[in-house]
Amino acid sequence: MTGGEVAGILVAVFWAILVSFLAVVLVRLAQTLKATTKLVADVTEQAVPLLADASATVRSAQTQLDRVDAIASDVQEVTSNASALSSTVASTFGGPLVKVAAFGYGVRKALGRGREAEGVSAATTRRTVIVGRTVPSARRRKQKG
C-alpha cells in the first residue's frame, strides 16, 4: 500500500465516523424535539382550561365587587338619612327641651328661695358631688381651708 492509499482510507474512515456521529446527534435531536412537542401540547391542553377558570373567577370577583359597591352606596345613603333625621329631631325638639329645662331651673330656684325664707339656710342644703358621692358643705369648707 502506498502512502496515498493509506491517506485515502484514513479520510474515508474519518468521514464514516463523522457521519455516524452526526447521525447519532440528529437522532437524539429528533427525540428531544418530539418530547418538547409533546410537552408543549400537554401544557397547552392543561393551560386552556386553567385560563378559562381564571377568567370565570375574575368575572365572579367583578360581580362581587359590584355588589359591595352597591352595598357601600346604600350604607352611605342610610348614613346621610340618619344624619338628616338627627338634625331634624334636634331642631324640632331642641328648642322646647331647652325651654322646659330653663323653666325647671327657674322653679328650683324659686323653691330654694322659699326655703331660705322659712329659716333653712341654703348653705346647709347644698351639696357638692365628688366622684359619685355627696359631701356636706361644712366638710367641703374644711377641705378648701
Side-chain angles (χ1 to χ4, degrees):
M1 278 206 201
T2 64
E5 291 177 351
V6 172
I9 293 175
L10 284 177
V11 169
V13 170
F14 171 74
W15 281 109
I17 292 173
L18 183 63
V19 168
S20 299
F21 177 74
L22 288 175
V24 169
V25 169
L26 287 175
V27 168
R28 299 279 177 149
L29 183 61
Q31 289 173 348
T32 303
L33 286 175
K34 282 182 184 178
T36 304
T37 304
K38 184 176 186 239
L39 180 65
V40 168
D42 289 345
V43 166
T44 303
E45 200 174 291
Q46 293 175 1
V48 170
L50 287 176
L51 289 174
D53 289 347
S55 177
T57 302
V58 167
R59 274 191 234 106
S60 174
Q62 182 62 38
T63 303
Q64 295 302 323
L65 285 174
D66 290 342
R67 288 180 183 170
V68 168
D69 187 39
I71 290 170
S73 65
D74 290 345
V75 167
Q76 184 178 8
E77 185 179 340
V78 167
T79 302
S80 65
N81 289 344
S83 175
L85 179 64
S86 69
S87 298
T88 303
V89 168
S91 65
T92 303
F93 296 113
L97 287 177
V98 168
K99 290 177 184 177
V100 167
F103 177 75
Y105 178 75
V107 168
R108 277 183 282 151
K109 278 295 212 178
L111 291 177
R113 286 189 187 147
R115 285 188 195 159
E116 287 179 11
E118 293 175 3
V120 178
S121 71
T124 59
T125 59
R126 274 194 193 165
R127 301 207 180 258
T128 303
V129 176
I130 299 174
V131 191
R133 58 187 176 147
T134 59
V135 176
S137 59
R139 187 168 163 197
R140 186 177 65 230
R141 275 187 244 125
K142 287 180 188 175
Q143 288 177 350
K144 287 183 182 178

